């Protein structure tokens, strides 16, 4: 009975947190949209990553709302100083306030707010909101993926239409080197949105070229999984989140059968 009660409690918490996540990400997206295409203070962090006052404002909203409601959860955000206490928390919010900041600052539509709730190393809730194109992806573990409230699924089959594949061209060309000049889907500057495009069948597959981070990936990962897709490294190993090291190598997302074929290809022809 104790285990059943614990499971029921977890389900109740998940339902509560799902509502919190949806409302908060919608409000964060509205704030980002209100600052979009305005004059913003901006600067470079690290070697070449742009950041603006909009990134910080959205991060502050997300942190204030989510952490106030769930003070026992960990927090990992691209725009917050890393707090190692997250490593000891069972549940952790993983946040990218504006994924695709270059697009955002350039006035282009392909950017989003991306937030996941991770239990141990795996996402259990995910929301990705692209206000400029009015796309709201949501997934809960075991409950499927929705886009603006409608259930979506990754495209079935194992074949590849390269015009429906997004990612670094030299990497994709390794799938079919005999084809010559491959025509890829136009570049999508937000990695989270690139991956989410697999979840509703707009893309057959999407690649991340390396040096992506937990905040780029965690929400999109669950969104793809719950749409009958898979996302992994090229060996097929699942991605683990909320570890001390939050950077990742080359990754691929696709519908389950197509993903299996891509992984088999790279197992036989590894990158290095």
């Amino acid at each position: 009975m104790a285990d059943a009660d614990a499971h029921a409690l977890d389900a109740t918490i998940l339902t509560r947190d799902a509502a919190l996540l949806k409302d908060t990400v919608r409000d964060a997206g509205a704030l980002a949209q209100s600052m979009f295409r305005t004059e913003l203070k901006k600067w470079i962090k690290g070697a070449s990553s742009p950041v603006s006052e909009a990134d910080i404002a959205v991060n502050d909203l997300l942190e204030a709302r989510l952490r106030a409601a769930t003070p026992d959860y960990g927090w990992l955000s691209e725009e917050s100083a890393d707090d190692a206490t997250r490593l000891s928390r069972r549940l952790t919010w993983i946040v990218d306030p504006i994924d695709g900041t270059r697009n955002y600052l350039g006035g282009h539509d392909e950017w989003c707010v991306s937030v996941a709730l991770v239990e141990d190393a795996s996402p259990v809730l995910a929301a990705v909101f692209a206000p400029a194109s009015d796309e709201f992806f949501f997934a809960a573990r075991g409950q499927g993926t929705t886009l603006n409230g409608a259930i979506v699924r990754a495209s079935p089959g194992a074949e590849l239409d390269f015009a429906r594949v997004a990612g670094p061209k030299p990497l994709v060309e390794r799938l079919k080197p005999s084809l010559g000049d491959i025509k890829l889907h136009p570049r999508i500057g937000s990695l989270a949105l690139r991956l989410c495009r697999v979840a509703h069948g707009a893309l057959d597959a999407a690649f991340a070229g390396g040096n992506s981070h937990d905040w780029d990936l965690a929400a999109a990962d669950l969104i793809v999984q719950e749409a009958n897709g898979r996302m992994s490294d090229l060996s097929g190993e699942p991605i683990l989140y909320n570890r001390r090291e939050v950077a990742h190598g080359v990754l691929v997302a696709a519908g389950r059968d197509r993903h299996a074929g891509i992984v088999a290809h790279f197992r036989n022809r590894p990158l290095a």
Side-chain angles (χ1 to χ4, degrees):
M1 179 63 74
D3 287 345
D5 289 346
H7 181 75
L9 178 62
D10 284 351
T12 301
I13 290 171
L14 209 60
T15 300
R16 179 204 70 184
D17 290 348
L20 170 68
L21 177 60
K22 287 178 181 177
D23 289 346
T24 304
V25 168
R26 285 198 181 278
D27 289 347
L31 174 60
Q33 183 69 20
S34 73
M35 301 176 77
F36 186 42
R37 294 174 179 154
T38 66
E39 289 295 321
L40 295 171
K41 294 177 183 175
K42 49 187 180 289
W43 56 96
I44 298 295
K45 64 179 180 182
S48 61
S49 294
V51 62
S52 76
E53 60 183 308
D55 297 85
I56 303 306
V58 174
N59 189 66
D60 288 349
L61 183 155
L62 290 165
E63 186 168 11
R65 292 271 294 273
L66 295 175
R67 299 195 84 174
T70 57
D72 295 331
Y73 292 9
W75 179 263
L76 174 64
S77 170
E78 182 175 16
E79 305 304 344
S80 298
D82 194 6
D83 180 354
T85 61
R86 65 180 172 80
L87 298 170
S88 63
R89 304 296 171 90
R90 177 185 171 195
L91 291 160
T92 295
W93 295 109
I94 297 185
V95 174
D96 195 339
I98 299 178
D99 183 71
T101 297
R102 284 188 178 85
N103 273 14
Y104 182 86
L105 293 175
H108 306 299
D109 286 348
E110 287 184 325
W111 55 272
C112 64
V113 179
S114 178
V115 182
L117 181 63
V118 166
E119 182 180 28
D120 299 322
S122 300
V124 293
L125 292 175
V128 170
F129 183 27
S133 52
D134 191 28
E135 295 171 282
F136 192 98
F137 294 88
F138 183 81
R141 186 168 62 187
Q143 297 179 33
T145 292
T146 59
L147 170 56
N148 295 340
I151 292 287
V152 292
R153 305 276 283 182
S155 60
E159 72 287 346
L160 278 171
D161 176 350
F162 283 92
R164 289 164 49 85
V165 177
K169 190 172 182 181
L171 175 63
V172 178
E173 284 178 335
R174 294 179 69 98
L175 282 170
K176 294 286 184 183
S178 62
L179 286 181
D181 190 29
I182 290 173
K183 301 295 184 189
L184 284 179
H185 189 279
R187 185 177 183 276
I188 299 170
S190 160
L191 179 54
L193 275 183
R194 183 192 310 169
L195 298 165
C196 285
R197 298 274 186 257
V198 170
H200 69 112
L203 292 177
D204 284 342
F207 288 84
N211 200 36
S212 54
H213 294 79
D214 278 14
W215 46 78
D216 303 306
L217 305 169
D221 191 348
L222 185 64
I223 285 165
V224 169
Q225 285 186 54
E226 289 295 324
N228 200 39
R230 280 216 52 208
M231 185 167 138
S232 73
D233 67 22
L234 292 186
S235 71
E237 290 298 312
I239 306 159
L240 301 179
Y241 299 99
N242 196 35
R243 297 305 201 228
R244 191 171 299 278
E245 177 55 63
V246 299
H248 301 273
V250 177
L251 308 169
V252 61
R256 288 186 179 275
D257 292 341
R258 190 171 288 110
H259 177 275
I262 292 170
V263 166
H265 175 90
F266 280 106
R267 279 179 180 158
N268 293 327
R269 303 166 185 82
L271 294 181

